[in-house]
Amino acid sequence: MDVRDANAGMLSNYEVYQLLTDLKEKRKESGKKHSTGQQNLNTIMYETLKYLSKTACSRQNPEIVKEFLTTMRGHKLTKAEKLQLLNHRPQTAVEIQLMVEESEERLSEEQIEELIQKVTDVLPGDPAEEGEADMEASADQ
Amino acid sequence: MFVLVEMVDTVRIPPWNFQRQLNEAVTEELNKKLANKVVYNVGLCICLYDIIKLEDSYIFPGDGASHTKVHFRYVVFHPFLDEILVGKIKYCSQEGVHVSLGFFDDIVIPPESLQQPAKFDEAEQVWLWEYETDEGAHDLYMDQGEEIRFRVSDELFLDTSPTGPSKASETPAAPGVPETEQKKEAPYTLIGSISEPGLGLLSWWNN
């Protein structure tokens, strides 16, 4: 076996999530005649789907990803930084500083706030968590 | 977290699978060979992404199966250096905090990369962060099952190919004496760090 290119492209968590969900559907449809050699594939698919379904990527779709990348265009972020923002959906300035290298020099405080706002607006959040936050806010009023 | 790796391999399709579509048979064989396995210096293979090219299939004398050279792309788990990941604490030991992602278990955060000052509680076998505030020192425990955000600081690939007969004859097992278990080395280990603000248990930083 030959590895031609160990880095032929980066995949967002959403793309892998989509790929595995489609594969699961196809395997379910095609019937139960799967040989015992497929156990490894079943295990890795199950565990990876379990992990990814609890992250932000499970609520994304191609339009959201496209919109996110268009919104991020003006901020001069590297591909890896945009990918991390897409995968993690940071909500605080501390998280942004972790994912964006040298953020103190490249981004002012307003720009960091702007980034957080854009990320929160474009990428869908966890409805359970946001429901709690809304309830708390309305309880305080 | 995931990358596409372009590879080339010769796939053997046994004759009883000849009635299947070649693409499907090749996909199944590649997944059987690579899924959930670590390729040296590449990463943990997840599943086939697509087939780029199928070359001609040959049948060789003595073997009824067909052999096809396949160019394909595979989804591989291979976080880049300094990437931020979120996992669950599996357990703590003297070597550090062991974190798991569910599908990948061999992540360790060594004691020097924990939030300092850190101490190991022998009784409960757990690492803790001695967090100082104006009110005094709080001990923040790193309990099992807690979600933890960490940065990938290093990766270790180990070649776990079989070592051959010469090494095995050096340590003959005496009959009646139980053989000491050989320590299973992980083929792919990630070294993490949580020594920055924002890293560590998610509960430490959520307001």
Side-chain angles (χ1 to χ4, degrees), chain A residues 33 35, chain B residues 12-26 28-29 32 65-66:
Chain A
K33 258 198 317 173
S35 55
Chain B
R12 180 184 179 269
I13 313 258
W16 48 88
N17 279 340
F18 278 0
Q19 86 282 9
R20 298 175 66 183
Q21 289 288 329
L22 184 59
N23 282 44
E24 272 177 39
V26 164
E28 187 180 315
E29 287 300 317
K32 238 195 264 188
S66 77

Side-chain angles (χ1 to χ4, degrees), chain B:
Chain B
M1 232 197 291
F2 300 101
V3 291
L4 273 180
V5 177
E6 211 180 293
M7 300 194 248
V8 180
D9 197 13
T10 307
V11 174
R12 180 184 179 269
I13 313 258
W16 48 88
N17 279 340
F18 278 0
Q19 86 282 9
R20 298 175 66 183
Q21 289 288 329
L22 184 59
N23 282 44
E24 272 177 39
V26 164
T27 306
E28 187 180 315
E29 287 300 317
L30 284 174
N31 277 331
K32 238 195 264 188
K33 178 172 180 174
L34 290 174
N36 206 16
K37 306 247 171 83
V38 171
V39 175
Y40 187 59
N41 281 342
V42 169
L44 173 71
C45 296
I46 309 286
C47 72
L48 184 75
Y49 184 72
D50 63 2
I51 297 177
I52 303 175
K53 189 162 87 161
L54 285 169
E55 295 188 19
D56 291 336
S57 306
Y58 293 92
I59 299 186
F60 297 111
D63 185 6
S66 77
H67 295 78
T68 321
K69 200 162 179 189
V70 187
H71 299 244
F72 59 96
R73 288 191 292 190
Y74 219 86
V75 177
V76 174
F77 170 70
H78 188 191
F80 52 87
L81 190 64
D82 290 342
E83 185 171 351
I84 305 289
L85 293 177
V86 176
K88 279 213 170 110
I89 298 185
K90 217 166 50 163
Y91 64 94
C92 296
S93 76
Q94 291 287 359
E95 292 153 4
V97 180
H98 297 254
V99 182
S100 159
L101 293 180
F103 59 95
F104 184 72
D105 271 356
D106 302 305
I107 306 172
V108 68
I109 305 179
E112 52 277 9
S113 308
L114 296 172
Q115 292 273 14
Q116 297 300 332
K119 206 171 67 173
F120 186 57
D121 186 338
E122 286 290 343
E124 297 186 35
Q125 290 285 299
V126 69
W127 281 97
L128 51 96
W129 181 23
E130 289 166 326
Y131 181 54
E132 292 259 347
T133 59
D134 302 324
E135 298 143 5
H138 290 276
D139 277 350
L140 296 171
Y141 281 80
M142 303 181 68
D143 293 317
Q144 212 179 46
E146 291 286 343
E147 293 207 321
I148 181 170
R149 188 184 293 128
F150 61 97
R151 192 190 282 283
V152 176
S153 56
D154 201 4
E155 65 186 18
L156 265 171
F157 279 105
L158 268 169
D159 192 4
T160 50
S161 335
T163 47
S166 51
K167 282 232 171 139
S169 62
E170 276 174 30
T171 53
V177 174
E179 225 177 276
T180 50
E181 242 185 69
Q182 279 193 314
K183 188 158 171 237
K184 265 204 201 147
E185 292 288 348
Y188 179 32
T189 318
L190 286 177
I191 316 284
S193 150
I194 54 167
S195 57
E196 282 168 72
L199 296 179
L201 262 62
L202 295 187
S203 55
W204 293 350
W205 304 98
N206 283 343
N207 286 335

